[in-house]
């Protein structure tokens, strides 16, 4: 019976996340499409084929090919990781080969850690937090010029979208910018929050009461620890007015329309359309501006001591 690449990897690696397996599967499809599966018959590339792994035994040729690709080191790293996963599906027979690929994987990882330069794509799209805040200010002017807060509820679709887009801009410029986590924030009172069962705590909430408003982020894909995020007075005032006006009790903070949840894809598009950059780039800009002085100190100290930035941060700098 045929088994998909996804299911075969899940069987072999039961503890990794679905999103990671999907990343591996997408690379497998890419490798098949660009010709690595030239001598292997694929009636349907979705299905696992043990003959495919044999094509990656020639480590030197494959590694040189991947290193020569004009793609980011992080993507090269994913290619190597995927090949190691492919070989691992066949048991221990390719252990030595996997070890060789692992050396390259570590090299790529160190290159990523030591490379502090912006990528070509980031350089092209780079901006500043001040410019992003100015975009948010202009969105605010548009909201007030349209006199949205004087209109009756429910708002027309255009007016609702304008107001929601303004709030999205505020969340990413008046608060430390998260990825797309704000699209899944449910409003709840502090009294209701205290009564929640443990299984209900794996959700993102905006705790909202007369005297308090803060984020409880219980669902973070890259961090297993929940986080309480307190909100600046500026953002607090903006959110209180927005929530009160739309009477959003027990609703999501943000919706695609007045009734529908925003998907991850739609949220990314809305953010890019309104601020002109992705959530990932906003985080890079925010982090770069917030840590520029500290980064210069770490870099200069590493140079004076004669070792890499990675070595400086991970072996010499202690809390």
């Amino acid at each position: 019976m045929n088994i998909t690449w996804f299911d075969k990897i899940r069987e072999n690696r039961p503890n990794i996340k679905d999103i990671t397996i999907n990343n591996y599967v997408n690379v497998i499809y890419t490798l098949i499409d660009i010709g690595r599966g030239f001598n292997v018959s694929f009636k349907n590339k979705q299905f696992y084929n043990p003959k495919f792994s044999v094509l990656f035994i020639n480590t030197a040729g494959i590694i040189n090919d991947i290193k020569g690709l004009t793609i980011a080191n992080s993507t090269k790293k994913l290619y190597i990781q995927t090949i190691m996963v492919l070989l691992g599906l066949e048991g221990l027979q390719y252990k030595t080969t996997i070890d060789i690929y692992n050396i390259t994987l570590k090299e790529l990882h160190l290159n990523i850690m030591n490379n502090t330069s912006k990528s070509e794509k980031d350089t092209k799209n780079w901006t500043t937090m001040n410019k992003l805040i100015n975009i948010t200010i202009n969105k605010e002017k548009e909201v007030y010029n349209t006199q949205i807060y004087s209109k009756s509820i429910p708002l027309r679709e255009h007016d609702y979208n304008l107001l929601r887009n303004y709030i999205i801009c505020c969340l990413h410029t008046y608060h430390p910018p998260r990825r797309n986590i704000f699209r899944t924030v449910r409003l709840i009172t502090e009294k209701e929050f205290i009564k929640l069962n443990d299984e209900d705590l794996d959700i993102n909430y905006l705790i909202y009461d007369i005297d308090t408003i803060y984020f409880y982020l219980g669902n973070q894909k890259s961090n297993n620890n929940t986080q309480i995020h307190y909100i600046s007075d500026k953002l607090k005032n903006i959110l209180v007015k927005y929530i009160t006006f739309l009477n959003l009790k027990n609703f999501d903070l943000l919706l695609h329309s007045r009734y529908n949840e925003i998907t991850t894809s739609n949220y990314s598009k809305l953010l890019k359309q309104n601020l002109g950059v992705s959530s990932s780039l906003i985080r890079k800009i925010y982090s770069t501006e917030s840590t520029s002085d500290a980064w210069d100190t770490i870099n200069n100290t590493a140079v004076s001591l004669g070792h890499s930035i990675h070595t400086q941060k991970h072996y010499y700098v202690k809390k």
Side-chain angles (χ1 to χ4, degrees):
M1 189 175 89
N2 288 330
I3 182 172
T4 64
W5 287 108
F6 184 98
D7 290 337
K8 183 65 178 178
I9 296 172
R10 166 60 68 216
E11 178 185 284
N12 186 256
R13 307 279 292 274
N15 296 322
I16 62 176
K17 296 179 179 179
D18 286 355
I19 189 171
T20 304
I21 297 180
N22 281 325
N23 287 336
Y24 292 148
V25 171
N26 287 333
V27 173
I28 290 171
Y29 292 166
T30 300
L31 293 172
I32 291 171
D33 289 340
I34 64 177
R36 286 296 169 200
F38 185 77
N39 296 318
V40 180
S41 176
F42 281 94
K43 292 181 180 179
N44 188 331
K45 67 181 180 181
Q46 287 184 308
F47 293 115
Y48 162 69
N49 188 332
K51 295 180 181 178
F52 191 49
S53 301
V54 179
L55 300 175
F56 298 94
I57 295 175
N58 175 21
T59 54
I62 301 297
I63 289 170
N64 286 335
D65 285 351
I66 291 176
K67 283 185 174 180
L69 293 173
T70 54
I71 55 177
N73 278 335
S74 58
T75 306
K76 294 177 184 178
K77 183 179 169 185
L78 178 59
Y79 277 37
I80 296 292
Q81 286 173 319
T82 303
I83 292 170
M84 291 169 66
V85 169
L86 274 171
L87 294 168
L89 296 178
E90 311 311 319
L92 297 176
Q93 62 176 314
Y94 297 124
K95 184 181 182 305
T96 302
T97 307
I98 291 173
D99 289 342
I100 294 171
Y101 278 116
N102 196 37
I103 293 170
T104 301
L105 187 67
K106 290 178 179 177
E107 289 175 358
L108 288 169
H109 179 70
L110 284 173
N111 287 339
I112 293 169
M113 295 298 293
N114 288 325
N115 183 14
T116 60
S117 301
K118 300 183 186 79
S119 68
E120 185 177 339
K121 183 180 178 182
D122 284 349
T123 300
K124 181 180 178 180
N125 296 313
W126 199 266
T127 183
T128 66
M129 288 306 300
N130 279 339
K131 288 181 179 178
L132 294 176
I133 289 170
N134 283 336
I135 292 174
T136 302
I137 290 171
N138 287 331
K139 289 286 179 187
E140 181 179 34
K141 289 177 181 176
E142 193 175 352
V143 166
Y144 282 93
N145 287 341
T146 313
Q147 297 183 324
I148 286 179
Y149 283 122
S150 300
K151 296 183 178 182
S152 58
I153 302 298
L155 292 173
R156 292 183 305 161
E157 197 74 15
H158 174 269
D159 289 334
Y160 175 79
N161 290 341
L162 174 60
L163 182 56
R164 179 209 56 214
N165 292 344
Y166 163 59
I167 297 300
I168 289 175
C169 291
C170 292
L171 289 168
H172 288 269
T173 54
Y174 295 146
H175 190 75
R178 306 303 297 247
R179 290 186 176 87
N180 297 333
I181 203 167
F182 294 121
R183 77 172 186 85
T184 56
V185 172
R186 175 61 57 92
L187 266 70
I188 191 171
T189 66
E190 196 160 41
K191 186 176 180 181
E192 291 169 329
F193 178 70
I194 292 170
K195 293 179 180 179
L196 290 177
N197 298 320
D198 287 346
E199 57 267 26
D200 294 324
L201 292 175
D202 191 26
I203 295 176
N204 302 316
Y205 293 104
L206 180 65
I207 289 80
Y208 172 66
D209 270 323
I210 296 174
D211 299 324
T212 186
I213 181 169
Y214 60 89
F215 288 111
Y216 169 89
L217 304 180
N219 181 8
Q220 303 181 91
K221 290 183 178 178
S222 61
N223 188 341
N224 291 326
N225 299 320
T226 58
Q227 290 187 27
I228 299 290
H229 274 232
Y230 294 100
I231 299 171
S232 68
D233 287 341
K234 184 176 187 64
L235 182 58
K236 187 183 297 184
N237 292 335
I238 291 168
L239 291 180
V240 167
K241 186 165 188 173
Y242 166 77
I243 292 165
T244 305
F245 176 66
L246 293 180
N247 192 24
L248 289 177
K249 291 180 181 178
N250 296 317
F251 281 90
D252 286 350
L253 178 64
L254 301 165
L255 295 172
H256 182 56
S257 65
R258 285 170 294 185
Y259 307 106
N260 300 319
E261 181 182 283
I262 305 179
T263 64
T264 302
S265 175
N266 282 333
Y267 190 90
S268 298
K269 288 177 183 177
L270 288 170
L271 190 60
K272 189 77 180 284
Q273 288 169 1
N274 286 281
L275 282 176
V277 290
S278 67
S279 61
S280 177
L281 186 55
I282 296 173
R283 288 161 63 81
K284 290 178 184 178
I285 294 166
Y286 179 86
S287 297
T288 299
E289 293 185 4
S290 300
T291 62
S292 58
D293 291 342
W295 182 254
D296 288 342
T297 301
I298 290 173
N299 185 48
N300 293 336
T301 305
V303 170
S304 66
L305 292 175
H307 52 233
S308 69
I309 296 167
H310 176 267
T311 299
Q312 172 76 6
K313 289 193 296 181
H314 291 274
Y315 296 101
Y316 288 93
V317 177
K318 305 297 179 183
K319 292 183 181 179

